[in-house]
Amino acid sequence: MKTGQQTNQQSAEDAINSLRLLRAGAAPRRILVTGGAGFLGSHLCEKLLNQGHQVLCADNFTTGRHRNVAHLRGRPHFKVIRHDVTVPLAADVDEIYNLACPASPPHYQADPVQTMKTSVLGALNLLELAKARKAKIFQASTSEIYGDPHVHPQPESYWGNVNPVGPRSCYDEGKRCAETMFFDFHQQFGVEIKVARIFNTYGPNMRPDDGRVVSNFIVQALSGDDITIYGDGSQTRSFCFVDDLIDGFLRLMASPPSFTGPVNLGNPAEFTVRELAEQVISLTGSPSRIVHLPLPIDDPRQRRPDISIAKRELGWLPKIPLSSGLEQTITYFDRLLTSEARKLAETA
């Protein structure tokens, strides 16, 4: 918890940042971040605040967590509201970042109808708001729109190989439909849109029960449990640290109106899942063993972004290597798990 002195100091820094924007000829913007208490949303909210903007964080807290934005609550230009994007929202904003939707398979498969509604109705409601307010709007799309790809690495021109009736379809097809709606609003109503296709991302503020491979392996290693690999571990993934990804978001939103995307944002360095597990064991010094479980249905065999467009149009390239990002993420989870264990001990 921040002290009063720290809160006053942060408020002063926020005011200075807003003044810097004005002196640079750019007024502070009123920005809505849906899914703002989630993993990516919380990092984005903090970055926007540090730039001097006013930030409205909207989240239904299904997968988002209050603790992710607790350190931001005392700042004068930050407000949190509980809101589900499947319900229309009235807000006086200049920009919208739509990050609302569970992104890990266990969470989005837990309520597939709600996942589809969040992707499709949420996109519709926020596009209507952007249209009414003449606001620029960002869509957090996903590499999952490529499905289990037949093209490697995946360029934006690839239409994908997606099962429309499988257990992952609620998320994959929901995001594909949302992209369609964004481009229809852009072409029919002139709404300024930015669409990012996000590849595997990791870092602090992930949930311990997220169900994605990086968080799974780190939590298992820190707990001394077996590290569970689905399949033989030869399937590949590309892992982008969250700071690099947020930089990509901001560059995309600052790009000319003529550049809408979709644009791949992810780290093109490719690792097998087994290589990731071995790195986590090495960095944590864990005694965990690697065990194998059956591969889930429709799990992609390969996933790696072609980021040629991001490099050319945004000047964006990930900078943080996997080992460095893992160290920061392990530190976060170690503190989180220690804190949760202490609370359990105090209540026992």
Side-chain angles (χ1 to χ4, degrees), residues 293-304:
L293 296 175
L295 197 66
I297 297 172
D298 295 334
D299 192 61
R301 295 294 307 174
Q302 293 178 305
R303 187 57 59 76
R304 177 189 172 198

Side-chain angles (χ1 to χ4, degrees), residues 159-219:
W159 290 357
N161 174 44
V162 176
N163 178 359
V165 294
R168 303 169 71 103
S169 305
C170 58
Y171 185 70
D172 301 0
E173 296 289 31
K175 289 290 190 176
R176 287 164 69 94
C177 183
E179 281 198 19
T180 300
M181 200 174 303
F182 263 68
F183 279 90
D184 286 345
F185 264 73
H186 172 66
Q187 291 156 8
Q188 187 170 345
F189 303 118
V191 174
E192 186 175 353
I193 65 168
K194 305 290 181 180
V195 178
R197 290 177 178 167
I198 301 167
F199 283 68
N200 291 64
T201 306
Y202 68 100
N205 293 0
M206 295 182 83
R207 287 176 50 148
D209 62 346
D210 187 78
R212 284 181 278 195
V213 65
V214 172
S215 52
N216 277 357
F217 288 178
I218 291 176
V219 170

Side-chain angles (χ1 to χ4, degrees), residues 10-294:
Q10 188 63 66
S11 298
E13 289 175 2
D14 289 346
I16 290 170
N17 288 332
S18 295
L19 184 59
R20 284 174 178 162
L21 279 173
L22 289 170
R23 286 176 175 171
R29 297 187 294 276
R30 299 160 298 179
I31 302 176
L32 168 65
V33 180
T34 65
F39 163 44
L40 299 180
S42 58
H43 285 274
L44 177 61
C45 286
E46 184 166 13
K47 189 73 173 181
L48 293 170
L49 283 170
N50 290 344
Q51 290 183 340
H53 302 295
Q54 299 176 30
V55 178
L56 175 60
C57 166
D59 206 298
N60 67 359
F61 294 97
T62 299
T63 55
R65 287 293 176 261
H66 289 281
R67 67 172 173 243
N68 288 345
V69 293
H71 64 297
L72 304 177
R73 283 182 176 272
R75 297 172 67 164
H77 296 158
F78 183 66
K79 182 180 179 182
V80 180
I81 60 171
R82 182 183 291 273
H83 183 80
D84 191 310
V85 294
T86 62
V87 178
L89 172 65
D92 188 12
V93 293
D94 305 305
E95 293 182 0
I96 302 166
Y97 286 83
N98 180 28
L99 276 63
C101 192
S104 70
H107 292 156
Y108 66 65
Q109 291 175 19
D111 190 344
V113 172
Q114 183 63 26
T115 296
M116 180 66 80
K117 289 170 66 177
T118 299
S119 291
V120 178
L121 294 180
L124 176 61
N125 289 332
L126 293 170
L127 284 163
E128 291 286 8
L129 175 61
K131 177 186 170 188
R133 300 302 311 169
K134 295 181 171 54
K136 187 191 313 184
I137 182 168
F138 171 102
Q139 168 65 2
S141 191
T142 173
S143 61
E144 297 297 332
I145 67 103
Y146 299 122
D148 189 6
H150 291 160
V151 174
H152 190 76
Q154 294 81 56
E156 291 85 350
S157 58
Y158 178 53
W159 290 357
N161 174 44
V162 176
N163 178 359
V165 294
R168 303 169 71 103
S169 305
C170 58
Y171 185 70
D172 301 0
E173 296 289 31
K175 289 290 190 176
R176 287 164 69 94
C177 183
E179 281 198 19
T180 300
M181 200 174 303
F182 263 68
F183 279 90
D184 286 345
F185 264 73
H186 172 66
Q187 291 156 8
Q188 187 170 345
F189 303 118
V191 174
E192 186 175 353
I193 65 168
K194 305 290 181 180
V195 178
R197 290 177 178 167
I198 301 167
F199 283 68
N200 291 64
T201 306
Y202 68 100
N205 293 0
M206 295 182 83
R207 287 176 50 148
D209 62 346
D210 187 78
R212 284 181 278 195
V213 65
V214 172
S215 52
N216 277 357
F217 288 178
I218 291 176
V219 170
Q220 289 168 341
L222 290 173
S223 304
D225 298 332
D226 290 340
I227 288 186
T228 52
I229 289 180
Y230 295 98
D232 62 7
S234 64
Q235 64 269 39
T236 65
R237 297 291 185 269
S238 302
F239 303 103
C240 185
F241 190 65
V242 62
D243 290 357
D244 281 332
L245 186 75
I246 298 303
D247 177 55
F249 285 6
L250 299 177
R251 287 171 182 258
L252 177 56
M253 277 297 256
S255 64
S258 59
F259 183 68
T260 60
V263 59
N264 290 336
L265 294 179
N267 195 319
E270 190 175 12
F271 298 86
T272 68
V273 171
R274 186 174 185 91
E275 286 173 334
L276 174 68
E278 290 169 348
Q279 279 212 47
V280 169
I281 290 172
S282 175
L283 290 169
T284 57
S286 173
S288 297
R289 300 177 306 117
I290 293 175
V291 299
H292 296 268
L293 296 175

